Amino acid sequence: MEKVVFSSNANPSSSHAWGREARKYLEEAREQVATLLQARPTEIIFTSGATEANNLAVFGLSSVEFPHIVSSEFEHPCVIEPIRSLEKMDYKVDWIKVQNNGIVDVHQMMNSIKADTGLLTLMLVNHETGAIQPVQEVVSKAKVKSLELYSSTISSSSKTPFRAPLQVHCDASQAVGKIFVSFRELGVDTLSISAHKFNGPKGIGVLVLREGEKLTPLFRGGFQQQGKRPGTEPVFLAVGLATALRLAIEQMEVRLEKVKALRNRFIDNLSRSKIKFVFNTDFDVSIPYVVNVSFPPISAALLLMKFDLVQIFCSAGSACASGSLLPSPVLRSMNLPKELIQSALRFGFSPDLTIEDIDYTTSELIKIIQQLTNCEDRKS
């Protein structure tokens, strides 16, 4: 990993020499991120992470003039909760279901768009199953339909130019650095990423905002970043994000092949065992970095406790919702049986892992499942 050395920790908004130096590093990072995501530097807004970026997009793009929102049921909590807050403010929301393979129902999503639909949200890769969503297809179809519906409400004699009111936000935090992501090709209006998802520093993310789009800021009190996200920019974190993103994209194919091999080893080891399990991830439509698997009838909470004792670290649902005892909304949206939802765990795979790590994990996992299954059998 290369090092970037700063001679000062100055405020990049300061006009003195140290401030100008900090500003230089900040803008170089902004330009690098823009290039890597196929966006413009003026479209890059640094945030504290994807949670802030998603909140900024949902609240910032919402409009009382077009108060209807279309969103998938399986978005990350930091997208769903802001939208639910808007529901309480009399915004109308259509929640779109997901198919059994974890992919959004595009037909239902298109049928939900109305003349007053102002916002549509669809993540690029699901955080619990790894399923890759057809964002580009949805955007192209949704924009056309929105324009058709909106134009029918405008007087044919009007000479005032107009465009579709619909704006599309994409949470790409699980995708960027793992698969090719082009802001320009996706066609979305906003896109969020988080640095720690591609081995960057925690505490920084990006919201990409299409040039010319209006965005109401969440915060007030500063001129930074065109006033859309005021506050002193964290130069060190921005440089760290840009560097990690560049390395992730440069090494993407190598990392992807290694992770595929690790995931396949995990799958093969489980498949050769005699324990009961069900994969909830459709491997044909998902990234290899995430595998969701259920071990019915054993509860996920019990498995997490047992696994932790032998240093197997996985999660039930998204990490941001791991303290919740509620069933996974992602798996619920897939209409999985209750038994599978309650016993589901999410395993993340990293190129930093080894085949030996996978073999140890599956060996201990199988032992624990067998022990717990025998206990259940004796009880019955």
Side-chain angles (χ1 to χ4, degrees), residues 262 265-266 269-270 272 275 305-314 347 349 353-369:
L262 296 172
R265 182 77 168 212
F266 178 84
N269 287 353
L270 283 189
R272 286 196 298 268
I275 64 173
M305 180 182 68
K306 293 288 187 180
F307 290 169
D308 190 66
L309 294 174
V310 294
Q311 295 193 315
I312 297 176
F313 306 125
C314 55
F347 291 84
F349 296 86
L353 297 174
T354 65
I355 289 293
E356 290 72 26
D357 292 327
I358 301 301
D359 287 345
Y360 171 80
T361 296
T362 49
S363 174
E364 293 298 314
L365 183 156
I366 291 167
K367 288 179 189 176
I368 290 170
I369 298 294

Side-chain angles (χ1 to χ4, degrees), residues 12-177:
S13 296
S14 297
S15 58
H16 50 61
W18 286 354
R20 293 196 303 274
E21 180 187 36
R23 169 61 58 180
K24 178 176 76 74
Y25 281 116
L26 178 68
E27 294 310 319
E28 286 176 353
R30 195 187 307 276
E31 289 175 10
Q32 187 173 47
V33 171
T35 299
L36 293 168
L37 296 178
Q38 296 192 356
R40 297 185 177 95
T42 53
E43 296 175 323
I44 302 300
I45 301 173
F46 289 112
T47 67
S48 61
T51 294
E52 183 192 337
N54 286 329
N55 273 262
L56 178 55
V58 171
F59 287 118
L61 294 178
S62 59
S63 165
V64 292
E65 186 180 0
F66 300 99
H68 180 243
I69 298 171
V70 176
S71 178
S72 67
E73 288 185 339
F74 54 93
E75 296 290 322
H76 191 275
C78 64
V79 171
I80 287 179
E81 291 307 314
I83 293 177
R84 293 208 183 280
S85 295
L86 290 173
E87 272 191 300
K88 295 176 182 177
M89 299 163 59
D90 293 330
Y91 281 78
K92 305 301 179 185
V93 182
D94 276 334
W95 296 100
I96 309 304
K97 293 188 176 296
V98 65
Q99 301 170 94
N100 292 336
N101 62 355
I103 303 298
V104 69
D105 187 333
V106 176
H107 182 70
Q108 184 193 4
M109 183 163 270
M110 292 306 103
N111 285 342
S112 299
I113 295 173
K114 304 172 183 176
D116 65 344
T117 305
L119 176 63
L120 182 150
T121 69
L122 179 61
M123 60 173 32
L124 187 51
V125 170
N126 186 263
H127 51 292
E128 290 191 36
T129 67
I132 304 171
Q133 304 303 318
V135 173
Q136 192 170 359
E137 176 192 356
V138 167
V139 172
S140 60
K141 290 181 178 179
K143 292 278 187 177
V144 169
K145 182 168 183 181
S146 175
L147 183 58
E148 290 174 347
L149 292 172
Y150 183 54
S151 62
S152 67
T153 67
I154 304 295
S155 170
S156 59
S157 61
S158 174
K159 296 182 179 180
T160 304
F162 63 90
R163 63 175 180 80
L166 180 68
Q167 293 175 301
V168 182
H169 171 61
C170 177
D171 176 0
S173 55
Q174 290 289 344
V176 168

